[in-house]
Amino acid sequence: AGVIRMVVLLITLLGTWFIMQTYFDNRWKVMSLRSWLGQEPPRHKCRNQKSCPPNYFAFKIISGAANVVGPSICFDDIILMSSMKNNIGRGLNIALVNGTDGKLLKTGIFDMYSGNIKKLEAFLQEIKAGTIVLTASYDDPATKMNDKVRAHFVELGSSHVKKLGFRDNWVFLGAKGLKNKSPFEEYIKNDRKTNKYDGWPEVLEMEGCTPKRMH
């Protein structure tokens, strides 16, 4: 029994190392090459590839990597949720932002595998008009998902939440009172044939500029 436990522990550690190395390796190579060439790119808000025009907020949402590396949400150059801030968890990680001034209103972590779905229902129900909603999945975003929760996200502008399933990856930016579908949403299905990690699809990273709410 002791030997079996040691083997399981070794496999787990090797799997964790592989995922973290794969996730960070490409970024490290690009950063090192640019530094060596003396070609440091200009820094944009949230470390995006380009700056946003006036009266727009910059954002970046990164989903979790398997069940190892947590998600992160940046808005107007401020990290709202991340592992470093110790305010993320398995399931759906949601940040609410004032659409006029960009200030953080509230964050929430909702365990979609074994948590109480009523908490998420109440959270979404209380969102006021003009609020920007940023969402990042981690590990499993949908086991507890019900029709009521999906309808709330559809109202916020989601096109993919209706098909969100077990261990799918999803990043989304919507708003309460949005009249059309949000252009800021990415989704990838958990598929054994195409998954990058064992049991999970690859990481999703979405960045862009969202307009300020004007009175």
Side-chain angles (χ1 to χ4, degrees):
V3 174
I4 294 175
R5 283 196 295 269
M6 289 293 291
V7 172
V8 172
L9 177 61
L10 179 60
I11 292 173
T12 301
L13 290 173
L14 287 173
T16 301
W17 174 82
F18 172 76
I19 290 174
M20 295 191 72
Q21 183 187 50
T22 302
Y23 182 65
F24 292 111
D25 188 48
N26 289 336
R27 287 187 175 186
W28 175 254
K29 287 179 180 178
V30 172
M31 291 172 61
S32 298
L33 179 61
R34 284 174 173 169
S35 297
W36 183 72
L37 293 173
Q39 297 178 348
E40 288 292 333
R43 190 196 180 286
H44 306 297
K45 287 185 175 182
C46 291
R47 298 189 178 279
N48 289 353
Q49 295 183 12
K50 61 182 182 180
S51 293
C52 293
N55 296 322
Y56 278 74
F57 295 116
F59 73 89
K60 178 178 287 185
I61 308 174
I62 305 175
S63 71
N67 62 346
V68 179
V69 181
S72 68
I73 297 176
C74 175
F75 190 85
D76 201 30
D77 216 25
I78 298 175
I79 301 297
L80 304 182
M81 304 184 76
S82 71
S83 298
M84 294 295 291
K85 293 181 72 68
N86 196 31
N87 65 347
I88 54 95
R90 178 175 69 179
L92 295 180
N93 297 264
I94 305 176
L96 304 183
V97 175
N98 185 304
T100 302
D101 59 22
K103 292 183 179 179
L104 178 65
L105 300 173
K106 185 189 296 186
T107 62
I109 309 167
F110 303 94
D111 186 340
M112 301 301 289
Y113 185 77
S114 59
N116 184 353
I117 193 63
K118 295 294 183 182
K119 293 181 179 180
L120 178 54
E121 289 179 8
F123 183 89
L124 296 174
Q125 181 68 40
E126 294 171 359
I127 298 176
K128 297 180 180 180
T131 300
I132 296 173
V133 182
L134 302 97
T135 305
S137 68
Y138 182 28
D139 188 0
D140 175 30
T143 294
K144 290 282 186 174
M145 186 79 72
N146 60 25
D147 290 341
K148 189 173 182 179
V149 167
R150 294 181 197 273
H152 279 303
F153 278 112
V154 169
E155 184 183 358
L156 295 171
S158 173
S159 300
H160 297 298
V161 71
K162 289 184 178 180
K163 57 185 176 182
L164 194 64
F166 176 67
R167 285 186 177 177
D168 293 349
N169 254 359
W170 183 48
V171 289
F172 168 65
L173 183 148
K176 189 63 176 286
L178 195 65
K179 296 181 180 180
N180 301 308
K181 294 296 182 182
S182 170
F184 303 120
E185 184 174 22
E186 293 187 14
Y187 160 83
I188 184 168
K189 184 174 179 56
N190 169 25
D191 188 333
R192 188 177 302 177
K193 296 179 181 179
T194 58
N195 283 346
K196 184 171 184 177
Y197 307 121
D198 184 19
W200 289 269
E202 63 182 299
V203 173
L204 288 175
E205 182 171 326
M206 179 176 68
E207 64 180 55
C209 304
T210 185
K212 295 181 180 181
R213 182 170 183 258
M214 309 301 289
H215 291 295

